[in-house]
Amino acid sequence: MTSSFRPMNRRTMLRGTLAAGAGVAFGQLLLSGTAQAYSWSRTLEQGATGADVTELQIRVAGWAADSASKTRVGIDGDFGPGTAAAVRRFQAAYGLSADGSVGPNTQAKLNSLEQSDGSTLHFNWSEFVDQSTGTFNGGKVTAAVAKENARRCMYKLEALRKKLGDKPITVNSGFRSIAHNAEIGGASDSMHLYGTAADLDVSGVATKTVYQKAETCGFSGLETYTVDHQHVDSRADLGRAWWWEDGTV
C-alpha cells in the first residue's frame, strides 16, 4: 500500500502536530506556461545578491551537507558560505571544477537538469499533482505557490537521486488538496497540502539508505524509514521546526 492511502495512524497524526501557519511559501517565483532554460547573465560568486542567486539556491538546495546534518540552503538571494559550499558539492558530484564559482560550465549543468515545462530532468508535474483532481488546486496555498514548492522539492530530489547512484525515484504522493488529504486520513496540516512533501519509493534501495541520504539534502521533515516508503518534506522552509522521526541515523 502506498502512503497516499494509508489510514490515520500515529505517524500521520504527528505529521500534523505542527501549528498551522498562514501558508508561507518558499518564495515568489511562480511558474506559468512553458519555461526556457534559465538565462544566467553573469558568473555568480560568494557575495553576489539578486534573483539569479535565489534561483541558484533553489537548484543546489539538495547539496546542503556532506553528512547527516540539520542544515539547509537559505533561499534568500544572498550568496553566502552555505550557498558556496552547496555549489562546490554540486560541482564535484557532476565532475566540474569544485571552485564555488558559478560560471558557464556550472550554469549549463544546472540548466541540463531542467525540462522545458519547468519541471526537472527526472521528475514530472504529473507525479506531484493532487491524485484526485490532477491539479495543484485546493491546498493551503494557491495553485501557483504549490506548484513552485513542488518544483523546489524536485531539485532536492534530483540531488537525492544522484547521491543514491542515479537510482530512479518513484513519487507516490506529492501535493494533496485539502479534500483528498481528508479522504485518505492525512494530517490536517500535512506538508503535502503546501506542495513541499513527497512520499518516495526507490526500487532496490533500502528505505533506511534513502532516509540517510535525505539527511544530507536539506529536507527538514523525514518520517521513519521502517516502512515501505520514505516521506520527505521541507517544513523548515515554511518556518516550521525540523522533525526527523528517527533522529540522525
Side-chain angles (χ1 to χ4, degrees):
M1 179 180 296
T2 68
S3 58
S4 298
F5 298 96
R6 65 182 184 272
M8 176 73 80
N9 55 30
R10 177 178 172 274
R11 291 200 308 109
T12 52
M13 291 177 68
L14 279 170
R15 190 192 310 171
T17 57
L18 297 172
V24 179
F26 287 165
Q28 299 303 314
L29 178 63
L30 305 180
L31 301 178
S32 59
T34 300
Q36 302 297 321
Y38 191 81
S39 298
W40 307 98
S41 62
R42 56 176 176 157
T43 294
L44 297 175
E45 297 181 325
Q46 191 166 332
T49 60
D52 49 359
V53 175
T54 299
E55 183 62 22
L56 169 66
Q57 291 168 326
I58 291 167
R59 297 185 183 214
V60 300
W63 299 93
D66 289 312
S67 58
S69 175
K70 291 185 177 180
T71 301
R72 54 184 283 272
V73 176
I75 313 297
D76 57 8
D78 186 353
F79 196 142
T83 301
V87 167
R88 288 192 294 270
R89 294 184 191 102
F90 173 88
Q91 291 170 325
Y94 286 97
L96 302 169
S97 177
D99 57 9
S101 177
V102 184
N105 291 338
T106 300
Q107 292 165 2
K109 179 53 68 176
L110 290 166
N111 279 354
S112 75
L113 296 177
E114 177 186 2
Q115 294 197 70
S116 62
D117 65 355
S119 60
T120 65
L121 181 61
H122 298 106
F123 299 93
N124 299 313
W125 296 123
S126 59
E127 298 176 272
F128 283 83
V129 293
D130 176 61
Q131 293 178 1
S132 179
T133 66
T135 71
F136 287 100
N137 296 319
K140 289 205 169 184
V141 290
T142 67
V145 169
K147 187 175 184 181
E148 169 62 8
N149 289 347
R151 183 180 80 98
R152 298 184 181 202
C153 184
M154 288 180 185
Y155 276 106
K156 287 186 177 179
L157 292 179
E158 288 287 352
L160 178 59
R161 188 184 192 279
K162 188 72 172 174
K163 293 173 187 182
L164 290 170
D166 292 312
K167 293 285 188 180
I169 295 174
T170 299
V171 177
N172 293 321
S173 181
F175 169 76
R176 296 178 193 159
S177 66
I178 294 171
H180 179 59
N181 187 64
E183 287 173 359
I184 64 173
S188 62
D189 198 40
S190 167
M191 294 296 103
H192 290 278
L193 299 170
Y194 300 87
T196 182
D199 292 345
L200 315 173
D201 283 335
V202 187
S203 180
V205 178
T207 308
K208 182 177 181 179
T209 300
V210 179
Y211 184 106
Q212 290 173 313
K213 293 299 183 182
E215 290 177 298
T216 71
C217 294
F219 287 114
S220 44
L222 296 173
E223 289 186 359
T224 185
Y225 58 79
T226 60
V227 290
D228 62 354
H229 64 275
Q230 182 62 57
H231 169 97
V232 298
D233 68 58
S234 296
R235 62 188 65 200
D237 289 2
L238 304 183
R240 314 301 178 85
W242 286 66
W243 182 62
W244 290 358
E245 186 170 7
D246 291 327
T248 301
V249 178

